[in-house]
Amino acid sequence: MQSQHAAKRPAPPSPDGPLVDVGQAEAALVEHYPRLVRLAYLMLPSEPGGRGRRVLTAHALVQRALPRGRTAAPAIPAQPRQSAGGRAAHSARSGRRPERPAQAARPAWADDRAGDPGYALVRLQVVRTALRAGPSRRRGTRRKRTGLPALPPLPPPLPQVWGLRLFPRSGGADELALEQRLSALSGPARAAWVLRGPERLSDDDVRTVLTDAGVADAAGALREADRVPAEDRLLGSPAFDPCSLQARPTDLVRRRRRLKAVLAAGAALVVCGALFGLPDDGWGPEGAAAPPYALNRAAQAALDPGKLTQVSPSVWKTSARTDFSVWPARGDLAGDAGLLRRALAVWARPGERVRVSATPGTPSGGPAGPPQLLYAGVVDNARVVVLHDGLRIARYAEPVDGAEGAEGAALDFARVDGADRAGASALVLGRSDGNIRYLTAPWVRAAGVRDLREPGVDAADLSLTGGVTSPLAGPAPKPGSCASWNVLELTDDAGTRLMTDLGELVPAVLTAGRPGAARETGGESADGPARESAGAEVSRTWSPFACSLASMRSAGVRSVNAWAFAEQPLPDASDAGVGSPRPGDGGGSAAWVCTRAETWRGGGTRVQAQFHTPGGPSGVVAAQAEDVPQCGEREPRVLAGVLWKSGAGTWYLLAAGSRGTTSVTATGGVEGTAQGNLLTLEAEQGAQADLEGTLENGEPVTGLR
């Protein structure tokens, strides 16, 4: 029972020795480091990895032998002197051959440390750890033979040596024979042999040291050690000196393969760490922004409200440019860093709760750098921030009465690259209850609202406060109704222009006249100029066709031009025809107007040929097409036709071409030719015909489809 109890709990050092502090133990370890490493090397079993592994393990055991604090040293001298008679008597009792006299010469490395408690304490720790170290394949056997408690495997020994194999010098046949005899002993027996031989301890002291080190059967270890005679001469050989080493390279080819594998594993670990290290939640101060997707200088600068571009209010007066880039920053919240930070963060990373809209062909990604601040303030019931990055206008809005940047946040984009003075005259700040507020350009002197359906009524004035208009009713407020179509009328030094809201951030500019004619100066052409500066005249041209603007909503429209390209007398003029509101209208001609909507992105232009009879409430779309050059500056010509029923009940094919058309021909369901730009032919209801015309220069022109 006592033996089993000893196997479970190692006996503590004898409390009879003096107390040793860490400094004293360290001094003993440093002074006698070669001797302690040699003792550990001799006590360790042969390693599967060779002598190099055994050398590193011996150094690691000695370097880990320092106590953590003041510790009682064993009451055993570091190296006692014993008479030859005492040793001979013990040998006779144990049945061993008599030992050499005490005065026999000792090897040079076994210096005298008699009476040093620090050395005795460190040596005890080396013995204890050496008995527990060794190859894992022999660890279970050693525990059974020594009765020591199980310990976890030692960590990789320190110090480590990379790229070299270190091992003692090779010995002769005698050294090899001694190594083989020692390897046949158990761990406690090797420790007893080393303590009794090189350390010159008596058998009683050896038994005490082994017991303090946790050996259950110290006497049995001594008896087993008797099988190997003392060899002081051989122990002084370099073959047993782990501090006198040889160096050779490791397996170079294997090391190269391992280095490649380590580099590949490290790269994979970095990538996985970057992916798993991304945060799950957005930034608190940035409201509804989603988690960050990039952390680089450009991205961080774009999110910094302190780096926003703010233009001086007087720059537009001297700048050669008249677009959004010269707009000053306005609004009473232009200095609210928290609001600006939320707006920038949501622009870069709109969260799932943010309502995002963009005109066709407008990218909705974050800014490439710090954008320009155009406005920051309260508009109706929302805090609004308007930004410009040279390509787009971005409007961020959040409710005033809600949590900052939480529910209700909205982000809208509109493309404005290549904007001119007219296109950069205004933008939409907010819509509420069918009303619209605009932010006007700094060069705008006055603003008003005009109803296109009432061209004879003067425009109503709008107040301007810091460039923001008072609210005005939007066009066609009731679904399906077109009793009115309100447009914004702006006046500056260049004249007066009309702009209409089509459901986007930037209103579309309304013009009238032949494509390619002077716009701002009001230059004349044969068919009339394309005018922006005459608001009343543009309103009269657009009045019958204002309702057709509803088909152009949310299409990224930049401007819409109305060109009255022909007038055509109506057959059976004494009777009202289809499209006339009142039977009995006498005489009259129908107006042909071509409307062309240009977009900010360039593509997606929409062309409509509209037909309006005298007294009719609105024009009728006779033909339409997309992405065609007709009615534009490149091809200021058009040919279109419509089936019309007179008041007498007769159906006619009416066709008209723009000025310069010398003949018009109809084929298919209705056939006929007329000289000039007008064609009138009787037709059947539902008949379909193809139109072709000839220009003055002989070029053909086809009917708009």
Side-chain angles (χ1 to χ4, degrees):
M1 296 296 293
Q2 293 179 354
S3 175
Q4 294 177 358
H5 179 74
K8 294 180 180 180
R9 186 185 302 275
S14 174
D16 298 333
L19 292 177
V20 177
D21 58 19
V22 178
Q24 184 178 357
E26 182 184 14
L29 188 149
V30 173
E31 182 179 359
H32 298 280
Y33 184 79
R35 176 178 180 176
L36 292 170
V37 174
R38 187 188 294 258
L39 295 179
Y41 181 80
L42 291 172
M43 293 180 194
L44 289 172
S46 299
E47 290 280 353
R51 292 185 298 167
R53 173 76 177 185
R54 184 177 171 190
V55 165
L56 294 179
T57 304
H59 282 273
L61 296 181
V62 175
Q63 293 178 13
R64 295 169 57 191
L66 281 179
R68 296 182 180 275
R70 293 175 61 85
T71 307
I76 300 174
Q79 186 177 331
R81 289 180 174 83
Q82 181 178 346
S83 64
R87 288 183 177 269
H90 176 77
S91 299
R93 289 192 303 269
S94 61
R96 295 186 288 111
R97 62 180 181 275
E99 299 180 4
R100 60 184 179 276
Q103 293 80 8
R106 291 180 295 139
W109 61 270
D111 56 329
D112 190 0
R113 287 295 296 163
D116 186 350
Y119 176 78
L121 178 62
V122 174
R123 181 183 61 192
L124 175 61
Q125 183 62 23
V126 171
V127 173
R128 180 180 290 120
T129 55
L131 291 174
R132 286 163 172 77
S136 58
R137 62 181 177 85
R138 300 184 58 184
R139 187 160 296 178
T141 305
R142 187 170 64 255
R143 291 196 199 104
K144 294 179 181 179
R145 296 172 63 180
T146 64
L148 295 175
L151 291 178
L154 291 174
L158 293 176
Q160 290 278 5
V161 178
W162 293 80
L164 289 176
R165 293 187 297 111
L166 301 179
F167 50 89
R169 298 179 180 275
S170 301
D174 294 339
E175 286 83 354
L176 180 59
L178 177 59
E179 176 71 23
Q180 292 176 349
R181 289 195 296 270
L182 289 176
S183 63
L185 298 178
S186 64
R190 281 194 304 274
W193 188 89
V194 172
L195 293 173
R196 191 166 59 189
E199 283 295 285
R200 298 286 180 172
L201 294 183
S202 66
D203 287 356
D204 292 338
D205 291 341
V206 171
R207 188 180 298 105
T208 302
V209 171
L210 293 179
T211 302
D212 290 343
V215 176
D217 187 8
L222 284 169
R223 288 193 298 271
E224 185 180 356
D226 290 340
R227 299 204 301 263
V228 180
E231 297 287 355
D232 289 345
R233 178 183 59 82
L234 296 179
L235 292 179
S237 170
F240 298 103
D241 186 1
C243 291
S244 179
L245 303 173
Q246 290 180 316
R248 294 291 186 273
T250 58
D251 190 334
L252 300 179
V253 176
R254 180 182 299 176
R255 186 170 66 188
R256 181 179 299 173
R257 290 198 298 265
R258 289 180 177 176
L259 179 60
K260 292 180 180 179
V262 169
L263 291 177
L269 183 62
V270 169
V271 173
C272 293
L275 294 177
F276 285 107
L278 292 177
D280 294 332
D281 300 325
W283 297 346
E286 296 169 351
Y293 63 89
L295 295 177
N296 53 60
R297 291 184 178 180
Q300 292 303 299
L303 299 179
D304 187 356
K307 295 184 178 181
L308 283 173
T309 301
Q310 298 194 26
V311 178
S312 172
S314 61
V315 169
W316 68 272
K317 298 179 181 179
T318 57
S319 175
R321 304 182 61 170
T322 51
D323 55 15
F324 292 105
S325 65
V326 296
W327 278 34
R330 288 170 285 183
D332 54 357
L333 297 181
D336 189 340
L339 173 63
L340 299 179
R341 184 180 299 277
R342 291 194 298 275
L344 291 170
V346 173
W347 184 359
R349 306 184 312 277
E352 296 180 354
R353 297 177 296 176
V354 179
R355 299 190 304 272
V356 180
S357 67
T359 57
T362 304
S364 59
Q372 175 188 356
L373 176 63
L374 302 184
Y375 181 85
V378 176
V379 180
D380 296 327
N381 296 320
R383 287 183 288 264
V384 176
V385 178
V386 181
L387 302 166
H388 174 236
D389 67 349
L391 172 68
R392 302 163 293 174
I393 293 291
R395 183 186 62 184
Y396 169 77
E398 63 181 29
V400 173
D401 55 354
E404 293 183 347
E407 297 290 344
L411 185 64
D412 303 307
F413 295 96
R415 185 170 174 175
V416 294
D417 54 315
D420 54 9
R421 186 187 185 95
S425 295
L427 55 83
V428 176
L429 272 186
R431 297 181 176 88
S432 178
D433 299 328
N435 296 322
I436 306 173
R437 289 183 185 269
Y438 290 93
L439 178 66
T440 61
W443 51 81
V444 172
R445 294 186 286 105
V449 57
R450 179 184 292 274
D451 186 359
L452 285 184
R453 301 289 290 160
E454 299 290 342
V457 179
D458 293 337
D461 292 337
L462 294 174
S463 63
L464 286 176
T465 305
V468 180
T469 68
S470 55
L472 67 148
K478 296 181 180 179
S481 172
C482 193
S484 66
W485 191 277
N486 291 336
V487 295
L488 178 67
E489 183 175 278
L490 300 177
T491 302
D492 57 23
D493 294 338
T496 301
R497 64 180 52 88
L498 300 182
M499 306 186 78
T500 183
D501 174 50
L502 295 179
E504 298 171 338
L505 282 181
V506 182
V509 179
L510 295 180
T511 60
R514 185 174 187 272
R519 293 178 176 268
E520 294 289 346
T521 62
E524 296 291 335
S525 69
D527 296 289
R531 298 179 300 274
E532 296 170 349
S533 57
E537 296 181 15
V538 174
S539 178
R540 282 192 293 270
T541 303
W542 269 102
S543 177
F545 312 104
C547 297
S548 65
L549 293 171
S551 63
M552 304 174 188
R553 291 182 183 271
S554 303
V557 175
R558 177 175 185 169
S559 63
V560 189
N561 182 58
W563 173 31
F565 65 90
E567 289 187 1
Q568 185 171 17
L570 296 174
D572 298 338
S574 59
D575 299 318
V578 174
S580 299
R582 298 182 303 274
D585 275 352
S589 299
W592 283 95
V593 172
C594 184
T595 60
R596 180 180 176 91
E598 301 286 353
T599 65
W600 288 99
R601 64 188 182 277
T605 57
R606 184 172 300 177
V607 178
Q608 293 180 340
Q610 303 193 47
F611 179 77
H612 180 239
T613 57
S618 300
V620 177
V621 177
Q624 62 181 354
E626 292 188 4
D627 293 321
V628 294
Q630 286 91 335
C631 288
E633 294 186 8
R634 292 187 176 182
E635 290 190 14
R637 56 177 181 261
V638 65
L639 173 63
V642 65
L643 282 177
W644 178 78
K645 183 180 180 181
S646 69
T650 304
W651 286 91
Y652 291 92
L653 171 64
L654 304 180
S658 57
R659 185 182 179 185
T661 304
T662 59
S663 66
V664 179
T665 301
T667 58
V670 182
E671 295 185 354
T673 300
Q675 298 300 312
N677 66 326
L678 302 176
L679 173 67
T680 302
L681 297 174
E682 290 190 10
E684 299 291 335
Q685 181 180 1
Q688 295 184 356
D690 295 326
L691 297 176
E692 292 185 1
T694 304
L695 301 178
E696 292 177 344
N697 58 6
E699 292 183 3
V701 58
T702 58
L704 185 68
R705 289 184 177 273

